[in-house]
Amino acid sequence: CLVFRGSSTVTGTLSFGTGGTICLINDGNTDLGLNSSSNAVNSAVTYENLSGSTLVMGGSDYFYSSGGRADVDDLLINRGGALIRKAGTGTAYIYFPYSGTGQIDVEEGGLSFTTSEIRSGTFNAAVADNASLVFNDSELNANTMNIDLAPDASMTFTTVTLGDAVNPVELINTGSGMITINSIDGPGTLALDGDNTVAFGNSVVLDAHIINRGVVQNSSGYFDGRNGTGTWTNAPGSVLRLAGTYPFYNSLADDQDDTVVNEAGATIHKVSSGTTSIYWSYDGSGNLDVDQGTLQFTGSRIMSETITADVADSAALDYTNGTAIESDRIDVNLEPGATLRLSGVSLENPGGAVE
C-alpha cells in the first residue's frame, strides 16, 4: 500500500494497468490534484480515507474506471470520522463503488457519482449554496443516506436505483434546495424533510416511493405511471404545492397502480393559474387547497374515505374523464365565484355524498 501522511498533494495522472491489487491510504490531509484519471480497469484498486483524514477533490478530479460497475473490485472507502471535501469550480466524478460512514462536503462546483454504487451502511453528505450533488446511472445500496442541501444547492437523480428487495434504502434530504428527478427505481424511499423545489424530468418513470415530510414546490415536468408502481406520499403536516400542468400522469389509461397519498393533516396546494391534472389514483384524507386555476382529477381512482377541499374565488376543482370516486363523502368549501365540476365520473359508493 501507498500511505499518505501529513499534508500531501497528488497531481497528474495515476494509471493502473492490468492485474494486481493497488492500495492507497490517506492518513492525513491529501489534496487530490489529478487532472486526468485514476484508471482501474482490470485492476483491484482501493483508496481508503482513514478516520481523522481529509481528501480534497478539485474541479476535474475523478476516480475513474471505464468498466463502470462491472469493475466491482475497485473501491473508495471513507471511514467514519474522515472527510471528502469537494473544492473548486467544475465537477469531480466518482466511478468507483463507494463505502464508509465518513462525511462528504460539496463546498464548490459539483460532485457526481457516475455508474457507481453506494455500499455504505450510512451515507452522509452536505451540499453548500451554488454547489451540486449528482447520482447518475448508479445503484444506491446504503441502508440510510442522509443529505443536507443548502437553500441554493442542488441534487439530481438520473437513472438511479434505490436499494433492492433485501435492502430497501431510505434516502433523506434534511435541507432545502433544488432537486431534479430524472428516473428513480425502487423499492427504496426518497424522503424530503426540508423546503424543496422539485423538478420532475419529462416522461420520467417513478418506480419507487417518495415521501414529502416538509414543503415541496413542483416546478416542472411530470412522472409517467406507464411502467412500475410509483407512490408519492404527503405525510401529516406536509405541503405539496403544484404549479405544473400534469405532474402525475399516466400515458396508459388502464394503468392505475400509481398513487398520490395525501395523509390526514397534509395539504395539496394548487398555486398557479391554468389547469393542473392528476391522472394517478388518489388516497388519503388530507386537504385539497385550490387557490388559483383548476385542480383536475382525470381518469383517476379516488380511494379516500373522505375528501376535504377548499376552492377559492375564480378557482375550480374538477373530477372528469372517467374518474371513479369510491369515497363515502366529499366535503367541498366553495368560496363565491368558485367552481366544482363533475363530468364523466362514476360514483362507486352508492351511499356516498358530495356536499
Side-chain angles (χ1 to χ4, degrees):
C1 288
L2 176 61
V3 181
F4 303 105
R5 291 193 172 95
S7 297
S8 307
T9 301
V10 181
T11 60
T13 302
L14 293 177
S15 295
F16 306 114
T18 301
T21 300
I22 297 99
C23 174
L24 304 175
I25 297 178
N26 178 24
D27 192 16
N29 297 304
T30 299
D31 187 346
L32 190 68
L34 301 180
N35 54 26
S36 183
S37 64
S38 293
N39 191 334
V41 176
N42 299 321
S43 302
V45 178
T46 298
Y47 187 101
E48 184 172 1
N49 224 19
L50 296 183
S51 179
S53 66
T54 299
L55 171 66
V56 180
M57 298 186 70
S60 59
D61 301 335
Y62 45 96
F63 291 91
Y64 177 71
S65 179
S66 62
R69 286 191 301 273
D71 284 334
V72 295
D73 292 335
D74 308 317
L75 188 60
L76 172 59
I77 303 174
N78 193 31
R79 296 291 185 191
L83 172 65
I84 293 177
R85 185 167 69 89
K86 170 61 180 68
T89 59
T91 300
Y93 294 87
I94 296 175
Y95 289 75
F96 281 22
Y98 175 91
S99 181
T101 59
Q103 179 70 20
I104 295 175
D105 284 349
V106 187
E107 297 178 356
E108 299 175 287
L111 179 63
S112 176
F113 288 88
T114 300
T115 64
S116 181
E117 179 186 0
I118 307 299
R119 301 175 182 172
S120 309
T122 301
F123 176 96
N124 300 297
V127 186
D129 283 331
N130 303 312
S132 65
L133 178 63
V134 175
F135 298 99
N136 180 29
D137 191 20
S138 293
E139 297 176 1
L140 310 184
N141 292 325
N143 294 327
T144 303
M145 299 183 66
N146 299 309
I147 299 173
D148 185 8
L149 293 182
D152 291 323
S154 67
M155 178 165 57
T156 300
F157 300 95
T158 301
T159 316
V160 165
T161 301
L162 283 175
D164 53 35
V166 177
N167 181 35
V169 174
E170 183 177 43
L171 191 157
I172 304 170
N173 172 42
T174 57
S176 303
M178 177 73 185
I179 299 175
T180 300
I181 300 173
N182 290 321
S183 182
I184 293 183
D185 290 336
T189 299
L190 170 60
L192 306 176
D193 287 2
D195 187 346
N196 299 110
T197 299
V198 179
F200 308 153
N202 289 330
S203 192
V204 166
V205 174
L206 175 66
D207 190 12
H209 188 190
I210 297 179
I211 301 177
N212 172 26
R213 298 193 291 230
V215 178
V216 168
Q217 168 86 33
N218 167 238
S219 62
S220 62
Y222 62 94
F223 289 127
D224 191 339
R226 66 186 183 276
N227 293 311
T229 302
T231 303
W232 180 288
T233 297
N234 271 352
S238 68
V239 177
L240 172 61
R241 295 184 177 133
L242 295 180
T245 305
Y246 40 87
F248 302 102
Y249 178 67
N250 261 332
S251 59
L252 298 177
D254 59 350
D255 184 356
Q256 292 187 335
D257 56 1
D258 304 281
T259 307
V260 176
V261 180
N262 194 32
E263 295 184 344
T267 301
I268 292 180
H269 192 184
K270 174 68 171 69
V271 294
S272 64
S273 60
T275 299
T276 295
S277 298
I278 296 176
Y279 290 74
W280 289 13
S281 297
Y282 177 86
D283 200 0
S285 57
N287 199 58
L288 300 174
D289 191 353
V290 188
D291 267 359
Q292 301 178 63
T294 298
L295 179 62
Q296 180 182 85
F297 290 88
T298 180
S300 305
R301 179 185 173 203
I302 310 300
M303 299 182 289
S304 310
E305 289 187 7
T306 301
I307 296 176
T308 303
D310 293 290
V311 186
D313 181 18
S314 301
L317 176 62
D318 286 4
Y319 296 91
T320 185
N321 286 347
T323 292
I325 300 177
E326 301 174 1
S327 307
D328 294 333
R329 185 182 182 90
I330 301 177
D331 291 329
V332 182
N333 177 30
L334 296 175
E335 293 186 4
T339 302
L340 171 66
R341 301 186 187 95
L342 300 174
S343 176
V345 304
S346 60
L347 300 177
E348 304 292 331
N349 185 347
V354 178
E355 298 186 3

